[in-house]
Amino acid sequence: MNNIILDQKNIWNVKDYNLKFKTNLTIDNPQVLFGKNGIVPHNASINIALQWMSKPSQKRDTRKIGAFSIKDTFVNKTISMDIKPDRLKEYVKIRVIFTVGDCENILPNEMHLANKKGMIVGMFNEAKIMLEGKGSEFPIATVSNGVTKPLWMLEYSSINPEIDKFSAENVCLLLNTDHPDYKYLDEENLESSTPLFKEIFSSAILMILLNLDKDGYLEKVKDNEDFEEGSICAAMHYFIRTFNIKVDTIISMMQSLKENVYKEL
């Protein structure tokens, strides 16, 4: 799943600050994982490790957190990691993995089980964390169109939104500086969360989603996150997840989008 770090005030950034990750892991009745009907031999142990990888920075690391065996009736671990900023770029994938630990005295009816030390036998909660907002930066530009023209317009041009970039050449929100209501926007920071900008932002997102629906991409965008990095479809999947947009009908899409934009921005 994708996870988004919302930092509207730009206090935290990936270049200067560590990324601290923390989660809890609970396993009830872990004994079922051992023996001929489990995944490892009865005499083996299972290691718990936290693994992260940042493909854009070509860095990765795996750290053992603990282990458990058939003797344990309950497993409860707090798992944390501190990743330095020079090891991160754009996004990071983090997952808890289970690997075969010590493994001795394998019984004949357990030879089919995972018994090679270090072999991955399970995974818990893989998450992709966007760090630099590549999927969420809405292209915005200002124009001088005169006082009689609309306060804003959306430029949208895409042949294949699965590939076309979510950038100004394909998508751009144009704000008319001559319009009387432009003064109600924060000119120093056009992405600031003024009520008027929230309305404009919500409407622009809705227009793009309706375009994707018209072209037959909306269902795919709702259910799939494996689009080309930085594409229009990837960005819209990001917004659907971030703002919990319900895409069943136009009305539910509009209502859920506006409601959650007002909460999050």
Side-chain angles (χ1 to χ4, degrees):
M1 61 180 177
N2 282 1
N3 293 267
I4 301 94
I5 294 177
L6 294 172
D7 180 31
Q8 300 299 330
K9 297 183 181 299
N10 294 316
I11 296 171
W12 185 90
N13 69 77
V14 66
K15 296 177 182 177
D16 297 327
Y17 298 102
N18 293 7
L19 175 66
K20 297 179 183 292
F21 176 83
K22 184 177 182 180
T23 189
N24 292 318
L25 169 67
T26 300
I27 304 174
D28 294 317
N29 195 23
Q31 297 99 326
V32 299
L33 301 175
F34 300 87
K36 64 179 182 178
N37 296 319
I39 58 174
V40 298
H42 78 288
N43 238 3
S45 63
I46 297 178
N47 292 332
I48 306 170
L50 186 62
Q51 184 180 77
W52 68 267
M53 59 202 79
S54 180
K55 188 175 179 180
S57 68
Q58 298 183 328
K59 301 287 177 61
R60 62 185 297 154
D61 191 19
T62 302
R63 184 177 303 168
K64 181 179 174 182
I65 304 298
F68 61 95
S69 69
I70 197 171
K71 298 177 182 178
D72 293 292
T73 58
F74 182 75
V75 176
N76 184 28
K77 294 281 185 185
T78 297
I79 301 170
S80 62
M81 181 178 278
D82 194 343
I83 309 173
K84 294 183 178 180
D86 61 353
R87 310 198 74 188
L88 299 172
K89 186 178 180 182
E90 294 184 17
Y91 67 86
V92 61
K93 289 185 178 181
I94 301 177
R95 61 182 184 173
V96 177
I97 60 173
F98 303 100
T99 65
V100 179
D102 295 328
C103 190
E104 298 177 351
N105 301 324
I106 304 171
L107 299 177
N109 64 353
E110 297 177 334
M111 296 302 296
H112 64 288
L113 301 174
N115 55 50
K116 186 176 180 180
K117 190 170 184 177
M119 180 184 294
I120 295 177
V121 292
M123 183 179 70
F124 170 75
N125 270 12
E126 180 174 69
K128 181 179 180 181
I129 302 175
M130 309 300 296
L131 299 170
E132 297 185 78
K134 289 291 184 182
S136 64
E137 294 175 355
F138 205 114
I140 299 174
T142 56
V143 292
S144 180
N145 275 347
V147 295
T148 61
K149 296 296 182 181
L151 172 61
W152 68 276
M153 293 176 57
L154 180 72
E155 287 188 342
Y156 179 86
S157 175
S158 172
I159 297 173
N160 185 351
E162 294 184 82
I163 299 173
D164 295 337
K165 296 297 183 184
F166 189 64
S167 54
E169 62 266 25
N170 299 312
V171 182
C172 192
L173 176 60
L174 300 177
L175 300 174
N176 180 12
T177 57
D178 294 333
H179 193 280
D181 290 339
Y182 181 77
K183 64 189 175 189
Y184 297 114
L185 298 171
D186 183 352
E187 191 169 2
E188 296 300 318
N189 181 13
L190 290 175
E191 294 187 8
S192 66
S193 53
T194 62
L196 181 56
F197 182 79
K198 290 177 182 178
E199 288 294 324
I200 294 172
F201 178 80
S202 301
S203 300
I205 292 291
L206 181 62
M207 290 172 67
I208 297 172
L209 291 173
L210 292 176
N211 266 282
L212 291 177
D213 189 28
K214 176 177 66 71
D215 295 336
Y217 289 97
L218 187 58
E219 281 300 311
K220 196 182 293 188
V221 168
K222 179 184 74 171
D223 299 326
N224 185 12
E225 61 184 53
D226 294 324
F227 295 107
E228 184 169 321
E229 199 74 34
S231 67
I232 294 171
C233 283
M236 288 302 106
H237 178 81
Y238 174 99
F239 285 123
I240 288 172
R241 288 288 301 274
T242 303
F243 298 115
N244 193 25
I245 304 171
K246 304 185 189 311
V247 298
D248 307 315
T249 66
I250 294 176
I251 292 176
S252 66
M253 200 167 1
M254 178 184 67
Q255 289 178 340
S256 59
L257 174 58
K258 286 195 172 187
E259 178 181 340
N260 291 299
V261 163
Y262 267 78
K263 287 180 184 177
E264 300 291 347
L265 281 186

